[in-house]
Each structure stands twice: as C-alpha cells, then as structure tokens.
Amino acid sequence: TNHIRMGMEFCSFYNFPEIFKTSIESHTILNIGDEANKILFIANQVAELLLTEDESEKTIIFKELENHTKKLLHLSLSEIELTIRGLPEIMEAFTADFPEMQKDLKKIVETGAALIITLMKKEIELISLTRELTDTSKKLANEKIFLSHMLNLSYFFSSLIPPIKLISSLFEYFDNFINEFSIQFIYRLPDTDVFIWIKGRDSINGSPIDISTVPCLLKSKISNETVRMEKEEAILLGKDVNLTSLIFPISYHNNFFGFLILDVEKNKYLEFDLEMTYVQILSNIIANSFQNFFSFEAMRNETHKKKFITNELISSDKKWNNSRETIIELQKAEIIGELLPVIFHKLKNKLTPILGYSQILLARPENAPISEKLKKIEKNANDLTSQLNMLRDHFKPKRVYKEKENLNRIINHLKSYFDEIKVAQNIDIRLETDDMVPDDNLNAGQIETLIVNIVDNSVISIKEKYKGRSGGIITVKTDFQKDGYRLIIRDNGIGMSEETIPRIWTPFFSLFPERTGIGLTVCEKVITNHNALFTVRAQENEFSEFEIYFKKSLLEDKIPLVDLKYNPFTELQGKIMIVDDEVYLVDLMKEILMSEGMLDVVSVTSGKEALKMMDSSFDLVISDIRMPEVNGMDIYDYLKARKMESRFMVVTADPLSDDVSNFLRDNRVLYLKKPFELMKFKKIVMEKLSL
C-alpha cells in the first residue's frame, strides 16, 4: 500500500469527516475548480520543498510553487514569505502533541528559514531586473519607433523616383518624424565628377563641394565605410562643433552616388548605436534606389529604341508578307503560263495533218474548185500556225525563279485552305511534317499550286466514294531522306486503275466530268521545273498516293538551240520508224515519206511499243519528244546504249522549253519544229539518211 491509502483507511476507521478523506486522496493532484484542493496541492509542494535536500530538485519545485501560487491563489512572494514565517508557531503546538516528530519538524523550520532568505534575495534581484527591464523596454520602444521609420523609408525608396526628388522627400520625413537626428547630403551629379552639398529641402539645388579637400569624405568613399567627422573638418565645413557628424557612403557596387551625413548631439551619440546600424542600412537602400532608377531609365530608353525598331520590323514584315503573297500569286499564274506552250503543242499537232493533207491534195490538180478550197484551208491553217507561233513566243517559258524556302513552311501557309476543306467537305486532313526537311531553292507559288491541285483531286475522289458521309482522309506528309526529301499526298477515295495512272498527266484528261484535266498537267510541269521525281501508286476504290522526291535545284541558265544546216535534197533508200502519240500526224508523215516509193516506213503511236520493235535494221528513227510512259528522250537513250544515236531525229512543237532545249543542245540532235511544211520535212529526212 502507500501513505495515501493508509491515510484514507485511518480516516474511515475513526469516522473523520469526508472532506478529510477527500483531501488526503487528492492532495497530489491539482483540481482547478476546488479551492480547498488548490490550497492542499500548494501546501504539499511547500512540504516537498522543505523536506528535499537535492538542490537541483529544490530549484524545480520552487519554480513550480511560485507559478502555482500566483496562478491558483494569486499570492505574491512576500505573502508566501509571511505564511512560511508563521510555520514555527504552528509547528510548536503540533510537536507538543507529537513529540516523536520534533526532530523532523525542527529540520523543516530550519529549511524554511533558509528558504525565506532565498526568497528575499530573489525579491531584491527581481526589483533590480524590473528596473533594467523598464529601461530596456523604453530603449526598445524608441528603437522600434526608429525602425518603423526606416521601414517606411525603405518602402518609399523601393519606388522608381529621381534621386533629387527622393532626397527632398527624405529631408521632409526627417523634419516631420525624426527629432533625434538631422541629415545632409553630398550628391554626385549623374555622368560627372561634380559633387553638390544639399543642406536641406529649401536648398535642394545644392552648392558645389570639392570632396578631395575633406579627408573624412575621401576616407569614406575609398573604404566604403561609415566615418566620423573630426572637429577640424567640421569647422572647415562650417558645421556646429557641438554635434557629432557621421559620414555614410551611398554606393552600389562600382557606382558611387555621394554621402548621407547624419548629425546628432554629442551627449546622446553613444545612446544611438543600434540606430546608427539602421542608418547604414538606409544608406544602402538609398544607393540601391538610385541604381534602380538609373537602370530603369537606361532600360526605358533602350526599350523605346527597341520598340521603335520592332515597329519598323513589324511594318517591314507586313510589307514583306504582302510582297510574298503577291509573288506567290504571280508564281501560281506563271505555272499556268508555262502550261500554255503545252496547249499550243497539242493545237499545232492537230494543225500539222490538216496542213499536210491539204498540201498532198493540192499536188493532185484534178479538180480546180476543190483545189481552190484546199488553198483556202492551207492558207487559214498557215495563218493559224503563225498566230500560234506568235502566242508561243509571247508565253515562252521564262526562267523559273526560286529562293530559299522550306516545304514545311509552304504546307503550313496552306493551313487555312485545309481547314476550309475540313469544315466544308467533312474530310479529315492530316498534316505530318518532318522537322528534318531542309531549306531548299523552291518556287513557293508553284509548290502551292502542286499541292492544291493534287488535294483538290483527292477531295473530288473522296466525295465520289463517300457521298457526303464522314470517313474521308487526306494525308499531306513530308519525309527527310538521305539524298533529299519527299512530299507524299495520299487519300482514301475511289483510287485509279493501273491503265489510268500513265494518262493522268496528259492535258485535258480527267476521270471527273467537272474537272478540266489541266491540274495534273500543271503538277507535272512544277515537278519538272524543280528537277524532282514522282511516283504514283493507286488501287481502285481504295487509295491514291502521289510521291514527289526533291533531290536538287535546277540549272536555270538559258541554253541556246543548236543551229541546223541542211544538205541538198537527195533521194535515198532506207528503213524508217516514225513514233508519235498523235495518230493523224503519224499517218501524215508516213504518207509523205511513202510517196517517194523507195523507203520502208514503220509507224507506231507509243514509245513503249517502239522499243519492242526497235532493232539495228532501222536507218532512221523519227520521234516526238513528249509522249506518255516512254518519251523521245528515253528512245534516244535506248539507241545511244546501242551506238545508234546518230540515226535519231526529233519532231516537236516545243523546242524552246528548258528540258527539250537542254536535251537537243547537249546531244546535238537534229529536230524539226511542228507544224512543218511537207517538202521541208521530206528534205530533212533525206539529208539525215544521206549522212
């Protein structure tokens, strides 16, 4: 058991009042609401304090006793002291009834006396500390006020204010709110070595001062530290010698702006050590404010310049964009102009048999009236040929101008066009551009025309298949390759058959009634102008895919045609092959040559068929240049590989185009321009056979 349990049993055995039992039970446990319990709890702490010999434990109990006494009973140390002083009298009466406890009670009394002495010493110490605390509180209050002034000023100095205006405001603040000090400024005028001494806000313009004659100013500037002004220096400057003047440098890194001079009465100088630290910080804040203002002014001037330049650049950029748009439109029109010679070529091909058959019939004068009509036909055909030649010369292909451009940028330029198709036609257009595609020499307008024409065909193909339903997809993709880059345009429309693919580049050929058949012919011209290669893949009712491979830029210099000289007409024998995709023209040339009666003439309307029939027995091959699948240049390469290129001759309606002109010049191939006169054609053939 323990002494608490024993005490409670004792009270129960002798029938003591219940309050005795409760007090014994709870004398070590604090119950805030019970006043008697509070007294018992504190009394128990007093007993423990008096009986404890361990000094460290006494200190802990004493602090607890002091706190509980003040908080629970609102008693001061002096009142506790009186209570303890009365203990001996109480104890004497108690020991008379309990002589066996005299020894312990004597010890308690002695300890209590020692405790009283300790309490008195602490009371004296407390009074002394209270006085020091009061003085310190007053000082802290003053410092707090001064610190609040410095904070107010620091907020003020964070604004971008011109230095002179800021100095004037600082004078006003000190005059109104800070009485312990007075200030003056020595300020260096911007971008000069001139210093002015500003003594107050009424003399803000200041007066010049040579700081090299004042040692304390030089010392502060060089050391960048606070310096106290000596008496002799104060007299030299005409200052009150009863004041202590401190020099605070105002500098920011390598930029020195001047000095802040703080004046205080000599007898109070030592009292303001902390305030001096605040002023030092203030001088740094002032320097930072000056620096910020000048930096901002420089930045604002620079920004103004940049803004002016930016506006000029924006204006120039707008002009450039407008010029670029104009150039692109001209380039688009240019490719149509380049297509016109192809149309002229077709028209002149049709005129050639008209003119030829007229000449053949005129050579047979059986019927005079018919001959007259034939002459009219011949004359009109010749007039039309002349007109076409004039138009051909007018629309003669010019140099294809190209500039540094990027295929991806051209595609992005068409984004609004693609967006319109998405909305209007319910077709998903997917752009997949490869960032590795390099800049190249391109004609942006022609490349846009190429893309637009192919995409337009894709749109019609998808509409034909889906009939307005969703599901149509057009993919425009660029792809970087080792030796160049590719443009791929694919759709999931009605596709094409294998037989159709070779014909799509032919002028006026179209799978769709609403199309003119010119678009893909234009595309072929653009591809040729850029020295690119193309591949067309398709499957009926599945897809169509155009792949254009760009490898290098064209040589754009004009190349003169070969001058032709003809030998006198000589009738010869020989085997001749005529190759042209125009049936009437083939028949006409064959009829002209067969009229001689000594020539074996074979005629075909396909370059592919001509290669199948070609052998060394042919003395001369007469071929058109522009034909689908296998053209005249391919036939020349075939003959050249077999050492038969000298037996080759060209008839063409387009000898001035770059590719044909280059071919004729580089290989020195004999040619005749369509439409031609019968006798001239026969004469040139005979000359060629005689070589």
Side-chain angles (χ1 to χ4, degrees):
T1 187
N2 57 43
H3 71 284
I4 296 176
R5 187 64 186 168
M6 286 294 293
M8 292 173 66
E9 290 294 331
F10 181 83
C11 292
S12 297
F13 184 80
Y14 287 104
N15 295 318
F16 283 181
E18 187 65 24
I19 190 172
F20 282 20
K21 187 176 180 181
T22 302
S23 299
I24 292 171
E25 182 180 17
S26 60
H27 75 282
T28 60
I29 302 171
L30 178 60
N31 186 351
I32 299 299
D34 189 344
E35 192 72 17
N37 177 256
K38 293 179 185 177
I39 296 172
L40 284 170
F41 179 77
I42 293 172
N44 184 62
Q45 283 189 312
V46 172
E48 287 184 0
L49 178 64
L50 297 176
L51 293 172
T52 299
E53 296 181 355
D54 189 336
E55 292 299 324
S56 60
E57 190 174 351
K58 279 184 178 181
T59 303
I60 295 171
I61 296 172
F62 181 80
K63 288 182 179 179
E64 291 181 354
L65 175 62
E66 183 178 14
N67 289 334
H68 286 132
T69 303
K70 289 182 178 180
K71 290 180 180 180
L72 300 179
L73 302 180
H74 308 293
L75 297 176
S76 65
L77 286 174
S78 59
E79 289 172 316
I80 295 172
E81 179 186 346
L82 291 174
T83 303
I84 295 175
R85 286 181 184 277
L87 282 176
E89 296 179 3
I90 297 172
M91 289 178 182
E92 285 180 5
F94 191 72
T95 55
D97 294 329
F98 300 96
E100 67 276 9
M101 297 182 64
Q102 286 183 359
K103 183 178 180 181
D104 290 337
L105 291 175
K106 184 177 181 182
K107 180 181 178 182
I108 290 173
V109 172
E110 291 174 355
T111 305
L115 179 61
I116 291 170
I117 295 171
T118 302
L119 288 174
M120 293 303 294
K121 288 181 178 179
K122 286 188 175 294
E123 187 73 25
I124 293 171
E125 290 176 3
L126 182 62
I127 293 171
S128 176
L129 289 172
T130 301
R131 288 176 181 173
E132 291 180 9
L133 181 62
T134 302
D135 293 340
T136 303
S137 297
K138 290 180 180 179
K139 184 173 179 60
L140 285 175
N142 291 333
E143 291 175 354
K144 182 179 179 182
I145 293 172
F146 192 77
L147 178 59
S148 67
H149 291 318
M150 296 300 104
L151 288 174
N152 290 337
L153 289 171
S154 68
Y155 292 136
F156 177 72
F157 280 111
S158 64
S159 305
L160 293 170
I161 300 174
I164 294 298
K165 184 176 181 181
L166 189 147
I167 290 171
S168 176
S169 299
L170 192 63
F171 275 122
E172 184 174 358
Y173 191 93
F174 266 79
D175 290 346
N176 291 330
F177 300 106
I178 303 176
N179 300 320
E180 299 88 347
F181 311 101
S182 60
I183 59 170
Q184 294 179 343
F185 271 94
I186 295 177
Y187 175 63
R188 183 174 70 88
L189 297 178
D191 301 322
T192 69
D193 290 326
V194 177
F195 289 84
I196 58 172
W197 187 2
I198 305 173
K199 299 179 181 181
R201 59 176 174 171
D202 296 331
S203 57
I204 199 66
N205 292 327
S207 56
I209 180 173
D210 184 359
I211 65 170
S212 62
T213 62
V214 185
C216 64
L217 298 179
L218 283 178
K219 183 179 179 181
S220 178
K221 182 178 183 296
I222 294 170
S223 66
N224 198 33
E225 294 179 352
T226 304
V227 174
R228 182 174 178 179
M229 187 180 292
E230 299 295 334
K231 181 178 179 181
E232 295 78 11
E233 295 169 330
I235 294 172
L236 177 66
L237 295 175
K239 293 180 67 64
D240 187 350
V241 295
N242 294 318
L243 298 176
T244 296
S245 298
L246 298 177
I247 313 296
F248 295 90
I250 302 174
S251 65
Y252 185 88
H253 296 306
N254 296 324
N255 295 326
F256 185 77
F257 301 104
F259 307 93
L260 168 63
I261 302 175
L262 188 73
D263 296 325
V264 60
E265 294 181 11
K266 285 185 179 295
N267 59 344
K268 295 182 179 180
Y269 167 63
L270 296 177
E271 299 178 9
F272 298 110
D273 52 339
L274 188 61
E275 284 82 347
M276 298 300 106
T277 303
Y278 294 155
V279 174
Q280 176 66 63
I281 295 172
L282 178 64
S283 67
N284 293 334
I285 294 173
I286 294 172
N288 187 60
S289 177
F290 288 178
Q291 177 66 31
N292 288 342
F293 175 79
F294 290 123
S295 297
F296 177 76
E297 284 295 300
M299 183 176 66
R300 185 166 62 179
N301 292 335
E302 191 66 25
T303 301
H304 180 73
K305 293 178 184 177
K306 289 181 178 179
K307 185 177 180 181
F308 176 77
I309 294 172
T310 301
N311 289 335
E312 288 296 311
L313 288 174
I314 291 172
S315 176
S316 299
D317 186 60
K318 288 180 179 178
K319 292 178 182 177
W320 184 87
N321 282 331
N322 292 336
S323 300
R324 184 177 184 277
E325 292 296 328
T326 303
I327 289 171
I328 287 175
E329 291 305 315
L330 289 174
Q331 289 171 342
K332 291 177 181 178
E334 180 182 273
I335 190 62
I336 301 301
E338 291 186 21
L339 182 62
L340 289 176
V342 179
I343 299 172
F344 297 154
H345 168 82
K346 290 291 180 181
L347 291 174
K348 285 192 283 185
N349 275 348
K350 298 297 182 184
L351 278 172
T352 299
I354 295 172
L355 190 59
Y357 283 119
S358 297
Q359 292 171 354
I360 290 173
L361 293 173
L362 282 171
R364 303 171 185 173
E366 293 87 358
N367 191 321
I370 293 177
S371 296
E372 289 300 320
K373 292 178 181 178
L374 288 172
K375 287 179 182 179
K376 291 180 180 179
I377 292 173
E378 181 185 21
K379 181 180 182 303
N380 282 281
N382 283 326
D383 290 344
L384 181 56
T385 300
S386 298
Q387 293 294 326
L388 288 174
N389 286 334
M390 290 175 60
L391 287 172
R392 174 66 177 81
D393 292 337
H394 178 75
F395 289 105
K396 184 169 60 179
K398 306 293 191 298
R399 171 181 287 182
V400 178
Y401 288 98
K402 297 186 286 294
E403 59 186 352
K404 186 177 181 181
E405 188 53 90
N406 188 282
L407 182 57
N408 289 341
R409 285 198 294 270
I410 294 173
I411 291 172
N412 288 332
H413 186 257
L414 291 170
K415 192 172 183 304
S416 59
Y417 159 72
F418 295 141
D419 291 341
E420 287 178 8
I421 292 175
K422 285 184 180 181
V423 175
Q425 306 296 342
N426 193 24
I427 295 174
D428 183 12
I429 297 187
R430 301 174 182 177
L431 305 183
E432 301 175 6
T433 53
D434 186 346
D435 293 337
M436 293 293 290
V437 170
D439 290 344
D440 196 5
N441 286 328
L442 301 174
N443 185 300
Q446 291 193 8
I447 298 297
E448 280 195 13
T449 301
L450 168 71
I451 296 171
V452 168
N453 280 332
I454 296 176
V455 170
D456 281 349
N457 279 347
S458 295
V459 170
I460 295 174
S461 177
I462 289 173
K463 288 170 65 178
E464 188 73 18
K465 179 178 178 179
Y466 287 92
K467 308 295 183 182
R469 294 178 286 110
S470 61
I473 299 172
I474 300 174
T475 302
V476 180
K477 178 180 179 181
T478 60
D479 180 32
F480 174 72
Q481 299 287 304
K482 182 178 180 181
D483 299 322
Y485 54 95
R486 297 186 301 168
L487 168 65
I488 300 170
I489 302 176
R490 181 186 178 98
D491 67 74
N492 62 346
I494 62 173
M496 292 180 283
S497 66
E498 292 184 8
E499 294 76 17
T500 301
I501 291 175
R503 303 177 62 195
I504 61 175
W505 309 108
T506 305
F508 311 113
F509 173 80
S510 177
L511 292 173
F512 311 109
E514 65 269 30
R515 303 294 287 180
T516 62
I518 296 295
L520 290 182
T521 307
V522 171
C523 293
E524 184 186 28
K525 186 64 178 176
V526 173
I527 294 169
T528 302
N529 286 346
H530 288 80
N531 203 32
L533 304 174
F534 67 85
T535 303
V536 180
R537 306 178 188 90
Q539 185 175 339
E540 286 187 282
N541 206 37
E542 291 293 332
F543 74 93
S544 296
E545 181 178 274
F546 289 79
E547 177 185 315
I548 297 96
Y549 181 75
F550 297 86
K551 53 182 180 177
K552 61 180 180 179
S553 300
L554 278 171
L555 296 174
E556 298 175 346
D557 294 333
K558 290 287 183 183
I559 299 170
L561 294 173
V562 178
D563 292 332
L564 299 176
K565 296 181 180 179
Y566 306 107
N567 294 325
F569 177 78
T570 304
E571 292 186 356
L572 297 173
Q573 294 182 352
K575 185 177 181 181
I576 300 173
M577 176 183 284
I578 300 174
V579 188
D580 200 307
D581 58 343
E582 295 286 345
V583 177
Y584 294 113
L585 189 55
V586 170
D587 292 343
L588 174 63
M589 288 188 285
K590 183 176 180 179
E591 186 173 345
I592 291 170
L593 296 177
M594 289 293 288
S595 65
E596 295 301 317
M598 297 177 294
L599 301 175
D600 180 8
V601 181
V602 177
S603 62
V604 292
T605 57
S606 164
K608 189 174 181 181
E609 184 182 351
L611 292 182
K612 292 178 182 179
M613 301 173 59
M614 196 81 65
D615 58 37
S616 60
S617 64
F618 288 99
D619 299 298
L620 180 62
V621 177
I622 304 171
S623 175
D624 191 10
I625 288 289
R626 301 204 184 279
M627 296 182 292
E629 296 187 86
V630 177
N631 60 34
M633 299 179 194
D634 298 326
I635 294 174
Y636 174 81
D637 292 338
Y638 179 88
L639 294 171
K640 186 176 181 180
R642 291 157 178 77
K643 309 295 183 183
M644 296 168 60
E645 66 270 23
S646 62
R647 307 180 191 183
F648 185 70
M649 174 182 166
V650 166
V651 287
T652 178
D654 195 25
L656 297 179
S657 62
D658 288 341
D659 54 343
V660 175
S661 176
N662 292 343
F663 168 74
L664 297 174
R665 183 206 64 180
D666 294 343
N667 299 290
R668 301 194 66 81
V669 174
L670 182 64
Y671 79 95
L672 183 63
K673 183 178 179 182
K674 299 177 185 177
F676 44 77
E677 295 180 4
L678 297 181
M679 295 308 295
K680 186 175 182 180
F681 170 69
K682 184 187 292 187
K683 178 175 179 291
I684 291 175
V685 170
M686 294 301 105
E687 288 176 349
K688 184 67 175 175
L689 284 173
S690 66
L691 294 176

